[in-house]
C-alpha cells in the first residue's frame, strides 16, 4: 500500500440550519459511495432525530438520551440537545479512535449534526468536535443551505453570516452546498455572491426599509468571505450534482493539506516547545531551591 493510500480518509462535517436537508444529503452521499463500492463511516451527532434513513456506525442516541437530559436538568428541547452533545463530546476522543481503527476500510467519514448551528459558532463542544476530527482526518465543512428558502435577500444574508462565522471559527476548508436545486436553481445565489450590484438591486427592489440598507452594507463586508468559498448546487433527493460535490470535496482536501495541516502542525510544535520550556524552567527553579536548602 502506498503512503497516499494509507492517509486518513476525508471527513465531511455536514452543518446547516434545521430542515436544510443535512440528513437527506448524508443518506445520498452514503448511497452514492456504497454504489461505487467505497463505503464511508457514518456518525450521527443529532440526539433529537427520531428516524434516520441510514444506519450510522456511531450514533449519539446510543450514548445519551436527550429527553432524559431535559428532565434531569429541567431544560427545553434546545438546551437538552446542546447539553446532550456536550456530554457526548467528553467522550469524543474515543469516537476518533474508532474512526481511526476503520481508516483503511473506508473512503470517507460522514458526520451529521443537529440543526442548532450555534453549536458551531459559539459552543465549546462544536470547537472540540471539529478540532478532534480535523487533527486526525482531512476535514471539510459542508454547509448545507435550503436554496428555495434563501431567495429572499435578508434570509440569504443571515444564512451567509452564520456560514461566515462558522468558517472563521473552524478555519477549515468550506464548501457551500446549495441543496434542493430540484425545487429552485442556485444561480440567483451565485449571482448575488459574485455581483455586488445585482445583490443591491434585488435588495432594494423587494424592500426599502432599514433592514434592506443593513443587508446591503453587510453584503459588502462579506466580499472577502465569498472569495474563500467553494460552491456547489445539489439535490439530495434526486442526486443531481453529487459528482460535482465530490469534485469540490477533493479540492477542499487539497486546501486542507496545503493550508490547514501545516498551520495545525506549526501550532502543535509551538505548544510542545512552550511546554518543554516551562518544564525546563520548573526544573531549574527546583534545582536552585535545592541548592538554597543545602
Ligand atoms: N425537494 C427537496 N427536498 C429535500 C431535499 N433534501 C431534503 N429535502 C426535504 O427537506 C426536509 C428536511 O430534510 P432533512 O434531511 O430532515 O433536514 P435536516 O437538515 O437534517 O433537518 P434537522 O435534522 O431538523 O436539522 C425533508 O422533508 C426532506 O425530504 C432536496 O434536495 N429536495
Amino acid at each position: 500500500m502506498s503512503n497516499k493510500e494509507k492517509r486518513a480518509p476525508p471527513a465531511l462535517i455536514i452543518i446547516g440550519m434545521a430542515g436544510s436537508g443535512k440528513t437527506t444529503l448524508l443518506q445520498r452521499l452514503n448511497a452514492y459511495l456504497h454504489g461505487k463500492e467505497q463505503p464511508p463511516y457514518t456518525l450521527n451527532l443529532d440526539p433529537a432525530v427520531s428516524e434516520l434513513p441510514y444506519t450510522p456506525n456511531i450514533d449519539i442516541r446510543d450514548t445519551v438520551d436527550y429527553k432524559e437530559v431535559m428532565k434531569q436538568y429541567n431544560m427545553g428541547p434546545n438546551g437538552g440537545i446542546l447539553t446532550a452533545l456536550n456530554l457526548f463530546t467528553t467522550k469524543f476522543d474515543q469516537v476518533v479512535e474508532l474512526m481511526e481503527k476503520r481508516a483503511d476500510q473506508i473512503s470517507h467519514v460522514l458526520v451529521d449534526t443537529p440543526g442548532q448551528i450555534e453549536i458551531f459558532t459559539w459552543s465549546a463542544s462544536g470547537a472540540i468536535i471539529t478540532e478532534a476530527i480535523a487533527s486526525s482526518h482531512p476535514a471539510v465543512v459542508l454547509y448545507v443551505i435550503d436554496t428555495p428558502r434563501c431567495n429572499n435577500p435578508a434570509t440569504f444574508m443571515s444564512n451567509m453570516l452564520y456560514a461566515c462565522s462558522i468558517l472563521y471559527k473552524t478555519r477549515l476548508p468550506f464548501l457551500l452546498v446549495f441543496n434542493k436545486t430540484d425545487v429552485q436553481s442556485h444561480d440567483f445565489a451565485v449571482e448575488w455572491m459574485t455581483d455586488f450590484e445585482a445583490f443591491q438591486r434585488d435588495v432594494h427592489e423587494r424592500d426599502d426599509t432599514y433592514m434592506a440598507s443593513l443587508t446591503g452594507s453587510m453584503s459588502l463586508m462579506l466580499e472577502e468571505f465569498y472569495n474563500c468559498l467553494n460552491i456547489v448546487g445539489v439535490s439530495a433527493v434526486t442526486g443531481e450534482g453529487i459528482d460535482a460535490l465530490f469534485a469540490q470535496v477533493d479540492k477542499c482536501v487539497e486546501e486542507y493539506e496545503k493550508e490547514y495541516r501545516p498551520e495545525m502542525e506549526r501550532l502543535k510544535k509551538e505548544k510542545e516547545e512552550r511546554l518543554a520550556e516551562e518544564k525546563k524552567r520548573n526544573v531549574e527553579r527546583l534545582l536552585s531551591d535545592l541548592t538554597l536548602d543545602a
Side-chain angles (χ1 to χ4, degrees):
M1 199 184 272
S2 76
N3 266 349
K4 199 172 170 207
E5 278 164 335
K6 271 191 230 152
R7 283 224 147 157
L12 315 187
I13 307 170
I14 305 178
I15 299 175
M17 290 194 179
S20 54
K22 296 176 293 297
T23 305
T24 316
L25 179 67
L26 193 148
Q27 162 57 4
R28 172 60 64 186
L29 303 179
N30 187 31
Y32 176 95
L33 291 169
H34 274 285
K36 294 200 171 286
E37 295 183 7
Q38 297 171 356
Y41 195 72
T42 50
L43 259 77
N44 170 45
L45 299 184
D46 186 352
V49 68
S50 51
E51 262 176 55
L52 284 177
Y54 60 93
T55 311
N57 295 94
I58 295 178
D59 193 339
I60 184 172
R61 295 173 304 170
D62 296 336
T63 312
V64 239
D65 178 349
Y66 96 101
K67 287 198 175 141
E68 205 41 52
V69 172
M70 275 167 66
K71 252 195 250 156
Q72 268 187 28
Y73 294 81
N74 200 14
M75 286 172 162
N78 237 8
I81 293 171
L82 294 184
T83 309
L85 192 65
N86 284 342
L87 291 171
F88 188 71
T89 303
T90 59
K91 305 241 177 277
F92 210 77
D93 48 343
Q94 291 173 25
V95 173
V96 172
E97 269 170 33
L98 289 171
M99 280 158 52
E100 281 173 339
K101 271 192 195 144
R102 295 284 302 277
D104 54 351
Q105 297 150 27
I106 56 171
S107 64
H108 295 76
V109 176
L110 307 177
V111 186
D112 196 1
T113 63
Q116 282 74 6
I117 51 176
E118 61 269 33
I119 290 167
F120 296 95
T121 54
W122 57 258
S123 121
S125 57
I128 294 171
I129 291 169
T130 49
E131 275 167 30
I133 296 177
S135 63
S136 53
H137 294 69
V140 180
V141 172
L142 263 56
Y143 186 82
V144 185
I145 295 171
D146 184 330
T147 312
R149 288 185 68 184
C150 260
N151 66 8
N152 173 309
T155 323
F156 176 79
M157 182 53 55
S158 88
N159 218 327
M160 286 303 115
L161 289 172
Y162 262 117
C164 180
S165 58
I166 294 172
L167 170 75
Y168 286 102
K169 184 99 203 275
T170 62
R171 306 243 152 222
L172 285 170
F174 208 84
L175 177 56
L176 273 194
V177 181
F178 285 97
N179 189 27
K180 309 194 185 180
T181 53
D182 55 303
V183 180
Q184 180 166 13
S185 152
H186 66 303
D187 290 348
F188 73 89
V190 175
E191 190 190 13
W192 282 350
M193 293 167 78
T194 47
D195 182 349
F196 173 68
E197 276 161 21
F199 184 73
Q200 290 290 335
R201 181 199 63 217
D202 290 345
V203 165
H204 291 287
E205 231 168 55
R206 293 182 201 206
D207 184 4
D208 216 3
T209 59
Y210 162 75
M211 190 63 192
S213 48
L214 178 68
T215 306
S217 29
M218 282 192 304
S219 72
L220 250 184
M221 184 194 87
L222 287 180
E223 237 182 326
E224 192 198 326
F225 162 67
Y226 291 154
N227 289 334
C228 314
L229 291 180
N230 305 289
I231 300 172
V232 69
V234 304
S235 165
V237 164
T238 66
E240 190 192 326
I242 300 297
D243 280 320
L245 184 148
F246 277 105
Q248 292 282 1
V249 164
D250 289 346
K251 247 177 78 187
C252 290
V253 170
E254 273 173 35
E255 225 176 273
Y256 171 95
E257 297 295 352
K258 227 168 72 194
E259 289 164 28
Y260 189 90
R261 193 190 289 277
E263 179 64 8
M264 184 177 73
E265 276 160 12
R266 187 185 66 78
L267 290 175
K268 199 168 140 200
K269 197 164 153 235
E270 245 180 47
K271 192 173 163 194
E272 280 166 7
E273 281 169 4
R274 222 179 24 247
L275 288 176
E277 187 58 35
E278 211 175 293
K279 198 168 154 194
K280 195 173 137 212
R281 265 204 314 272
N282 284 340
V283 172
E284 279 167 5
R285 230 185 23 236
L286 179 73
L287 287 178
S288 89
D289 285 354
L290 286 175
T291 320
L292 278 180
D293 287 348

